Amino acid sequence: MTCSNNSIDAPFTIKWTHKLRLTNSSFTEGGVLDSLLATLQPLKILVVVDDGVTSNQPFLNSLHKWCERTGAICDEPLIVIGGEAAKNDFNVVNSVLEAINHNNLCRKSCIIVIGGGAVLDAVGFAASTAHRGLPIIRMPSTSLSQGDSGVGVKNGVNYFGKKNFVGVFDPPYAVINDSSLLQSLDKTQWRSGLSEAIKVALIKDESLFEQIEANSKLLLGRDINAMVSVLQQSAKLHLRHITDGGDPFERLDARPLDFGHWAAHKLEQLTNYTISHGDAVAIGLSIDVACSVRLGFLDNSVAMRIVSLLDSLGFPTNHSELTNTEFLTGIEEFRQHLGGQLTLLMLKGIEEPTEIHRLDHEVVRQVINELR
Ligand SMILES: NC(=O)c1ccc[n+]([C@@H]2O[C@H](COP(=O)([O-])OP(=O)(O)OC[C@H]3O[C@@H](n4cnc5c(N)ncnc54)[C@H](O)[C@@H]3O)[C@@H](O)[C@H]2O)c1
Ligand SMILES: [Zn+2]
């Protein structure tokens, strides 16, 4: 602590352990969920479930059996609408706050949320703000949320038509990636986590990129072991970025994990969120990889290799809304969301990111023409 006549600077540190558990059967007696709760000892537990998960009957049966034998559970699980609709208004946030109030949950209680990234974001926001923060256990239910957003520390909803306009940084008590949840995903949601895995591999881990390349047929064919292996590594890379990257709450200008995301976020907005986040990221990556070539950073053969991989996994790498005149405003909106100067990531090679602070509209227009 430093003190002078009229100023005191007293630094403090909060110790936090980010806990990720990997399983294919969360509800086994004495399994991962039971042991996390044995440590947390919550007075009451509220379970919130994404309505998309209701198509996974075996998972729901196990959940119901677990609820029956576990004390402290409030009523029936609260089922909320899944997908971006969960974030586009405050209905999900309000229903969770109402359930917290109605069931008298306090800060010694706990919420278990089972859902895709959108439901995790909205329910996490409600949990973080009620009583200034209830512990939450996340069980991400999509490939994207198991490999990326679910292990993050961000929560929030969209407002004024802008992505994640209202939200907080608040780490969950723990994250459980249960691979049995992936079985009920449709084709688009199945592949969704792979574009984020490719993103993080391009920035941080060439061997993961090679693994996805080598297993692209298995991944496309819904091989669960191939998928779990990629998602686990993606989750670990995302998690390590948060715990060891020196900027868990994104106070700095650079946001390496948002590679390809300025375009992805704008495209989601222009399509009224009918495009999945994973597909939007695949297109965003294709654009930023092609920009990296145009700006003289990246060899065209590497860019082709990346775009071909996305293509072979079934991802779109182009969209009719890219020629919408509004599309390029995404660059400025991205800057505003981050605050400060524009910082975008480009690639010099795989595992060789570089930052830029300006991206000319003309460069992006040329790239969009090329992708067509
Ligand atoms: N907080 C963060 O750090 C962060 C990071 C990246 C993305 N995100 C957010 O995550 C959201 C995207 O999440 P997502 O890709 O997980 O998709 P999603 O949450 O939008 O869900 C997609 C669809 O899958 C359904 N679904 C969920 N689980 C299912 C299951 N097991 N079986 C069948 N259907 C299921 C949902 O009901 C929904 O219809 C976006 O809002 C994005 O902004 C947040
Ligand atoms: Zn993303």
Side-chain angles (χ1 to χ4, degrees):
M1 182 160 86
T2 55
C3 288
S4 67
N5 279 352
N6 53 7
S7 80
I8 301 174
D9 289 347
F12 70 98
T13 317
I14 299 167
K15 274 210 161 178
W16 191 268
T17 302
H18 204 8
K19 297 183 274 298
L20 170 65
R21 304 289 181 265
L22 308 164
T23 181
N24 59 7
S25 54
S26 302
F27 304 113
T28 311
E29 204 154 350
V32 283
L33 182 56
D34 282 355
S35 64
L36 285 167
L37 291 172
T39 313
L40 185 62
Q41 295 276 330
L43 296 175
K44 287 185 180 175
I45 303 168
L46 172 70
V47 181
V48 186
V49 183
D50 183 318
D51 66 358
V53 173
T54 58
S55 63
N56 194 327
Q57 205 52 51
F59 183 88
L60 274 197
N61 293 344
S62 311
L63 169 65
H64 282 300
K65 277 191 200 137
W66 179 83
C67 287
E68 275 164 22
R69 73 170 163 77
T70 303
I73 292 282
C74 310
D75 302 333
E76 284 288 292
L78 173 67
I79 311 283
V80 296
I81 189 165
E84 205 62 28
K87 289 173 65 172
N88 275 340
D89 57 34
F90 281 89
N91 286 338
V92 168
V93 172
N94 282 337
S95 66
V96 175
L97 291 175
E98 273 162 21
I100 291 170
N101 183 40
H102 172 77
N103 292 292
N104 294 314
L105 265 69
C106 66
R107 296 180 63 196
K108 301 286 178 204
S109 303
C110 158
I111 293 180
I112 298 173
V113 56
I114 305 165
V119 165
L120 299 182
D121 277 2
V123 177
F125 179 61
S128 295
T129 46
H131 300 302
R132 299 205 175 97
L134 265 66
I136 186 163
I137 296 179
R138 289 189 192 152
M139 295 179 65
S141 65
T142 58
S143 64
L144 188 132
S145 55
Q146 290 200 2
D148 180 336
S149 62
V151 298
V153 294
K154 293 184 272 185
N155 308 275
V157 293
N158 309 330
Y159 204 40
F160 305 124
K162 288 181 181 164
K163 215 42 200 173
N164 306 321
F165 189 89
V166 187
V168 293
F169 288 92
D170 189 14
Y173 176 72
V175 184
I176 301 175
N177 275 0
D178 186 332
S179 59
S180 71
L181 276 160
L182 304 174
Q183 301 287 3
S184 51
L185 296 174
D186 67 17
K187 203 164 118 188
T188 311
Q189 294 307 327
W190 169 266
R191 70 174 175 245
S192 233
L194 296 173
S195 57
E196 297 278 16
I198 290 173
K199 169 206 75 180
V200 75
L202 288 174
I203 306 163
K204 290 177 182 284
D205 189 348
E206 186 165 12
S207 66
L208 175 58
F209 184 83
E210 288 165 355
Q211 180 185 335
I212 300 172
E213 258 183 337
N215 290 299
S216 62
K217 284 210 174 76
L218 289 173
L219 291 163
L220 188 66
R222 294 186 76 104
D223 183 290
I224 191 79
N225 294 328
M227 181 59 99
V228 166
S229 172
V230 169
L231 293 182
Q232 284 187 2
Q233 288 175 77
S234 173
K236 283 180 196 162
L237 288 166
H238 279 94
L239 191 140
R240 221 173 283 147
H241 178 81
I242 292 164
T243 56
D244 303 350
D247 188 25
F249 295 162
E250 298 176 354
R251 299 284 191 258
L252 305 175
D253 286 345
R255 290 259 295 265
L257 295 186
D258 272 350
F259 180 42
H261 275 58
W262 73 263
H265 286 170
K266 191 66 202 177
L267 202 51
E268 286 179 284
Q269 193 198 93
L270 288 175
T271 59
N272 211 10
Y273 301 98
T274 51
I275 188 167
S276 74
H277 185 66
D279 283 5
V281 168
I283 296 167
L285 288 177
S286 305
I287 292 173
D288 281 358
V289 156
C291 285
S292 302
V293 176
R294 277 254 153 208
L295 294 172
F297 295 121
L298 185 69
D299 197 273
N300 191 43
S301 62
V302 183
M304 295 294 285
R305 190 177 155 201
I306 297 166
V307 176
S308 308
L309 177 58
L310 290 164
D311 187 54
S312 71
L313 293 166
F315 284 109
T317 51
N318 197 357
H319 197 283
S320 55
E321 286 295 336
L322 297 185
T323 50
N324 185 327
T325 46
E326 233 203 276
F327 176 67
L328 289 166
T329 61
I331 300 174
E332 172 55 17
E333 282 176 13
F334 189 75
R335 188 200 64 74
Q336 279 176 18
H337 184 64
L338 299 188
Q341 71 171 340
L342 175 72
T343 302
L344 296 174
L345 219 68
M346 293 284 132
L347 279 191
K348 287 173 151 175
I350 298 176
E351 241 189 86
E352 266 188 279
T354 185
E355 283 175 10
I356 58 166
H357 300 289
R358 163 197 173 109
L359 180 58
D360 287 336
H361 286 191
E362 193 44 39
V363 171
V364 185
R365 274 192 212 102
Q366 285 166 359
V367 157
I368 289 168
N369 263 333
E370 277 165 27
L371 287 172
R372 283 159 82 200

